[in-house]
Amino acid sequence: MGATVMVGMAERVLNIPDGVKSHFKKRVREFEDTVVPRLSSGDQKLWEDFPEDISENRVNDPVQTMKKFQALPTRKIGLTHVKGYDYILYVPVFIDNVNLPFLARENNLGIDIDAEYQKMLERICAAYRTRWHL
């Protein structure tokens, strides 16, 4: 069993579900027609249109997020009777709901995205071989 945790690296985020969308409770169609097409499009005017719906993140928030997920149980290869993940993949991402999302290859978490993905594949393959004695 594996998990992928996307760790948000954006310093500010336009809060859509609890913020922007709440302004359109009785005008869902208007939200879908006038706001949704602008999301993740690079439309910088969204910041100006909904300033009260901007969430600011602290520099240390991504590290704190990872610490919480690192508390999830993992198990050693072949111990399928133990509850836990075989691998948890952490992927730093930049998602602010205004600009195009992207993998945060340069990050302060020390994560090499490609190397971590390769480690995950190797670990899952090793677990599969061990389990099925291949």
Side-chain angles (χ1 to χ4, degrees), residues 29-41:
R29 186 72 173 168
E30 181 182 351
F31 171 77
E32 291 173 357
D33 291 345
T34 64
V35 177
V36 171
R38 298 169 60 197
L39 298 175
S40 299
S41 71

Side-chain angles (χ1 to χ4, degrees), residues 14-90:
L14 188 60
N15 186 333
I16 304 304
D18 301 324
V20 176
K21 193 172 184 180
S22 68
H23 302 293
F24 296 87
K25 285 182 182 176
K26 295 183 179 180
R27 304 172 317 200
V28 175
R29 186 72 173 168
E30 181 182 351
F31 171 77
E32 291 173 357
D33 291 345
T34 64
V35 177
V36 171
R38 298 169 60 197
L39 298 175
S40 299
S41 71
D43 183 349
Q44 299 303 304
K45 195 164 179 322
L46 283 164
W47 299 118
E48 298 167 21
D49 292 346
F50 304 101
E52 67 278 7
D53 300 317
I54 297 172
S55 298
E56 300 284 339
N57 293 325
R58 295 177 302 253
V59 174
N60 202 34
D61 284 348
V63 172
Q64 296 305 315
T65 297
M66 278 195 48
K67 283 183 181 178
K68 289 180 189 241
F69 281 99
Q70 286 170 333
L72 292 172
T74 56
R75 60 185 176 197
K76 293 183 179 178
I77 291 175
L79 299 181
T80 56
H81 63 285
V82 175
K83 288 184 181 180
Y85 292 94
D86 295 306
Y87 199 90
I88 300 175
L89 177 67
Y90 300 97

Side-chain angles (χ1 to χ4, degrees), residues 115-134:
E116 285 299 313
Y117 184 71
Q118 185 63 38
K119 281 174 37 178
M120 179 203 62
L121 291 176
E122 290 169 3
R123 175 122 179 135
I124 298 297
C125 288
Y128 186 84
R129 283 191 302 273
T130 300
R131 170 95 168 123
W132 301 107
H133 310 288
L134 301 175

